[in-house]
Amino acid sequence: VKELDLLLYGASLSPFSMRNIIQIAVKDLAIPIADPPGGVHSAEYLAINPLGKIPALVVDGATLPESETIAEFLEDLFPAVPLRPTDAWQRARCRLISRVIDIYVMNPMLPIFAQLNPSTRDDAAVNKVLDDIGRGLDYLDQLIEPGPFAVSHAFTLADCATVPVLKYVERFLPMFGCAQPFAARPRLAAYWAAVQRQPQIPHALAQMEAALRAALGESA
Ligand SMILES: N[C@@H](CCC(=O)N[C@@H](CS)C(=O)NCC(=O)O)C(=O)O
């Protein structure tokens, strides 16, 4: 069987990219990871991924965008170290957590990055974001196992999706007056504490923290 030529465009600042970067690390895959050439909006990168977003996996010259689709493809391609539960119900729960993370937590957070400057902040816009994320986190708190794994008894794609987004929740919500986003969500709090003791996770979170500090102009 001919091996596919694979390259992941992604960055540690991007929680969607980190889903695949964690997956690649946990599965110990030799897939190179590169910044998008000229940034996500360059003509060169738009020719690679017309969506102008990271991550994107280049597969023998063809592009596969969307972190969850990439994650499923890598599972199909590399069945060793499987990160999907075998039980149909647990596999459904794994996919559900990834969707809840994307649709009800991370996507609603995106408008908040335009509100980082307190002097130009639109409080109504911020409150809407906090309400929306709060509903997503409340649902996640019901859905998730209290650690160390999001579903079943092993590390899965649900953890790959959840860890980077909870890092963003922990890092950004306190800037908007939500000091302890996990405090009233005991299952989520227990999960967040426990998953950070899994192999590869401290390193991934340190990568994200370094990228966040650089982006926010904070010193280490
Ligand atoms: N649904 C996409 C979201 C990807 C996404 O929004 N990536 C961000 C970085 S975290 C991005 O590239 N944004 C650039 C832009 O939209 O201009 C996925 O899961 O891959």
Side-chain angles (χ1 to χ4, degrees):
V1 184
K2 178 189 164 295
E3 278 201 12
L4 294 173
D5 189 17
L6 301 175
L7 170 66
L8 183 78
Y9 286 110
S12 323
L13 188 61
S14 154
F16 296 105
S17 301
M18 285 306 295
R19 167 182 306 184
N20 299 131
I21 292 171
I22 292 172
Q23 179 187 21
I24 287 168
V26 171
K27 293 172 81 73
D28 198 18
L29 302 176
I31 300 177
I33 297 163
D35 289 329
V40 286
H41 299 128
S42 71
E44 187 182 348
Y45 188 65
L46 289 172
I48 297 166
N49 180 9
L51 292 173
K53 291 182 191 294
I54 48 173
L57 183 71
V58 180
V59 185
D60 277 350
T63 303
L64 188 66
E66 290 298 315
S67 58
E68 188 62 14
T69 308
I70 295 167
E72 293 279 352
F73 176 67
L74 292 179
E75 289 306 308
D76 291 340
L77 201 56
F78 301 107
V81 194
L83 299 186
R84 286 181 301 211
T86 46
D87 174 78
W89 176 246
Q90 293 299 338
R91 187 174 284 203
R93 281 175 39 81
C94 177
R95 291 186 169 132
L96 178 60
I97 286 181
S98 294
R99 283 183 71 84
V100 167
I101 280 287
D102 284 354
I103 299 172
Y104 302 110
V105 184
M106 195 60 219
N107 288 344
M109 201 187 309
L110 298 177
I112 220 169
F113 303 116
Q115 306 293 337
L116 289 173
N117 182 347
S119 67
T120 56
R121 189 168 287 170
D122 174 347
D123 288 331
V126 168
N127 289 336
K128 162 99 172 71
V129 171
L130 295 178
D131 278 0
D132 290 347
I133 297 175
R135 270 193 298 278
L137 292 176
D138 283 344
Y139 183 47
L140 196 61
D141 187 54
Q142 295 180 33
L143 206 58
I144 203 162
E145 295 296 335
F149 307 115
V151 294
S152 72
H153 302 290
F155 192 89
T156 64
L157 293 183
D159 300 289
C160 296
T162 302
V163 164
V165 171
L166 293 188
K167 171 69 180 170
Y168 261 57
V169 167
E170 181 181 64
R171 202 60 167 70
F172 284 98
L173 265 56
M175 296 181 193
F176 297 91
C178 179
Q180 292 183 310
F182 306 128
R185 299 178 176 110
R187 293 169 65 87
L188 203 49
Y191 168 77
W192 183 228
V195 75
Q196 293 184 56
R197 294 193 285 271
Q198 292 305 304
Q200 312 290 351
I201 299 305
H203 177 68
L205 290 173
Q207 275 179 288
M208 288 186 79
E209 179 61 26
L212 283 162
R213 280 180 191 272
L216 295 167
E218 296 174 4
S219 52

